[in-house]
Amino acid sequence: MSTPEATEVQRLLRRFVDSAHESIRDIDTALRTHDLMVTAAAAHRLKGASLAVGAAGLADVAARIETAAKAGRQAECLAAMDTLGAEMLAVRASV
């Protein structure tokens, strides 16, 4: 039997997963259109949300993408996308 608190935590984690997927789509779209400002903003948003729920690995990759995007290093951002996807899968599996 679930407690109301456990149910609320699960609901919040599901919302985080949905939001994280949206941020990753935004990063991918921005990279495809060579918009590094939007890439950095979406990665920053993902980093903050990930840190808030304890998804440190996901936050770390998002931070690397944010930093690379701000420095104009699109190839580095693109190279990190596979790692970002793998971290997202790990987070999703744990929720």
Side-chain angles (χ1 to χ4, degrees), residues 25-86:
R25 280 191 301 271
D26 290 347
I27 292 167
D28 185 60
T29 299
L31 286 172
R32 288 175 192 268
T33 60
H34 308 284
D35 192 336
L36 293 178
M37 287 180 60
V38 172
T39 300
H44 180 80
R45 186 173 65 244
L46 178 60
K47 177 184 71 177
S50 298
L51 288 171
V53 299
L58 189 59
D60 180 58
V61 180
R64 291 194 328 243
I65 292 171
E66 178 185 10
T67 299
K70 286 180 177 178
R73 299 188 308 260
Q74 181 167 355
E76 192 175 322
C77 295
L78 288 167
M81 289 303 289
D82 285 340
T83 305
L84 187 66

Side-chain angles (χ1 to χ4, degrees), residues 17 21 24 58 82-95:
V17 167
H21 278 295
I24 291 170
L58 189 59
D82 285 340
T83 305
L84 187 66
E87 287 293 336
M88 188 64 222
L89 285 174
V91 167
R92 193 169 162 209
S94 68
V95 171

